[in-house]
Amino acid sequence: MGVTRLKRKDRRNKTVSRLEVQFLKLGRNIEAGSRSKESKSSQVVKNKAVLDKLAAESK
C-alpha cells in the first residue's frame, strides 16, 4: 500500500493540536518550591516580570 497524504484540514489539525499542547506546557502555573522550577531565562518568567513592573507603575 502506498502512503496516503493527509488532507489539508487534517494536516492543520495535527499542527494546531501540537502547538496547543506546547502552549499549555509552557503556560501552566508552576508553584513556588516545585521541582520543575522555571529557569531564569524562560520567556514565561520574563513576561511575568514585565507584567509585574507595569502593574506596579500603574498604581
Side-chain angles (χ1 to χ4, degrees), residues 25-26 28-40 42 44-45 48:
K25 281 183 181 176
L26 289 174
R28 125 181 122 219
N29 290 336
I30 295 177
E31 297 172 11
S34 169
R35 272 203 230 162
S36 59
K37 203 166 190 175
E38 281 284 336
S39 68
K40 300 273 188 236
S42 167
V44 174
V45 172
K48 284 182 184 174

Side-chain angles (χ1 to χ4, degrees), residues 4 7 9 12-14 17 19 29 36 41 43 46 52 54 57-58:
T4 59
K7 291 189 175 175
K9 182 177 74 173
R12 183 183 176 281
N13 288 343
K14 177 182 169 186
S17 65
L19 291 175
N29 290 336
S36 59
S41 61
Q43 190 62 48
K46 292 176 185 175
D52 291 341
L54 291 173
E57 288 177 357
S58 67

